Structure formats: C-alpha cells, structure tokens
Amino acid sequence: QVQLAESGGGLVQAGASLRLACAVSGRALSTFDMGWFRQAPGKERVFVAAINWRSTSTYYGDSVKGRSTVSRDNAKNMLYLSVDRLKAEDTAVYYCAATSRDTTFYERANRHASYDYWGQGTQVTVSS
C-alpha cells in the first residue's frame, strides 16, 4: 500500500523560507513522478511544483516560480519542496502526490487528475 506523508508545515513569518518534506512508503520513490499542490480555504487545489523520477526535469506553478525548489532523494524515498520569500498568499494546505513514472509526465505534471496517490497535507500559515 502506497502512503505519502508530508511534514514541515507550520506558522512562519512573511519573508521567511520553508522546506516541506514528503515521505513515501509502500513502493520505491524511483517508480514515481512526483508533484506538490496546495489548497487555500475556499479555493481549488492548485499546482505548485513537480519533478520527474530521475530529477532531470522540474516544473513550477506561476505562484512560486523563481522562489521555489523541488527536489527528491530516491535512496531515502523522500520528496522536498523549498519556498523562499514566503507571502501571506502562500498560506494553504500543501499536498504531495505521486504518479507512476511515464514519458508523458511533462504534458500533465500540473494537473491534479494526473496523480494517483496523495498525502494528507501539511498546513502552512504565513503571517504578515
């Protein structure tokens, strides 16, 4: 049974940096392409970042482009998301998601329907 578990959220000041982690169990991380999404209260879940299985390609949503880094450590079965210069509008529940690796990932990395497995989410609250 594949399980994803996010950690690293919390209350942070605007302008600070944050690093989220996602632990994957039940199957080797190297068999997945991975993504991060976030959902603010009353809003739809939106794409944040994605990375292919061997870390050769990364993708970012407009809201974090230029101040975010997605990375992974397949040996440790861990996925990471760093966000710098946090803003109040970054406040949301952040989710990691997994989909079996595929050559078409680049076409669909930003669609939440592309992912088969999801974590429970971690709350990030940015105070201004």
Side-chain angles (χ1 to χ4, degrees), residues 1-3 24-32 77 99-101 117:
Q1 181 182 359
V2 176
Q3 292 186 320
V24 177
S25 60
R27 201 169 116 183
L29 181 62
S30 59
T31 66
F32 292 118
N77 268 18
T99 180
S100 295
R101 70 190 202 200
Y117 305 97

Side-chain angles (χ1 to χ4, degrees), residues 26-68:
R27 201 169 116 183
L29 181 62
S30 59
T31 66
F32 292 118
D33 296 316
M34 299 294 294
W36 286 98
F37 290 75
R38 70 187 188 188
Q39 188 167 17
K43 296 189 177 181
E44 294 184 349
R45 192 169 297 191
V46 297
F47 172 71
V48 176
I51 184 169
N52 72 340
W53 71 275
R54 51 180 181 163
S55 303
T56 53
S57 296
T58 56
Y59 312 92
Y60 296 94
D62 290 340
S63 61
V64 299
K65 196 173 292 183
R67 59 187 184 95
S68 182

Side-chain angles (χ1 to χ4, degrees), residues 99-117:
T99 180
S100 295
R101 70 190 202 200
D102 188 277
T103 55
T104 66
F105 183 61
Y106 71 99
E107 295 180 321
R108 55 189 182 85
N110 62 343
R111 303 174 200 165
H112 62 79
S114 298
Y115 296 85
D116 304 304
Y117 305 97

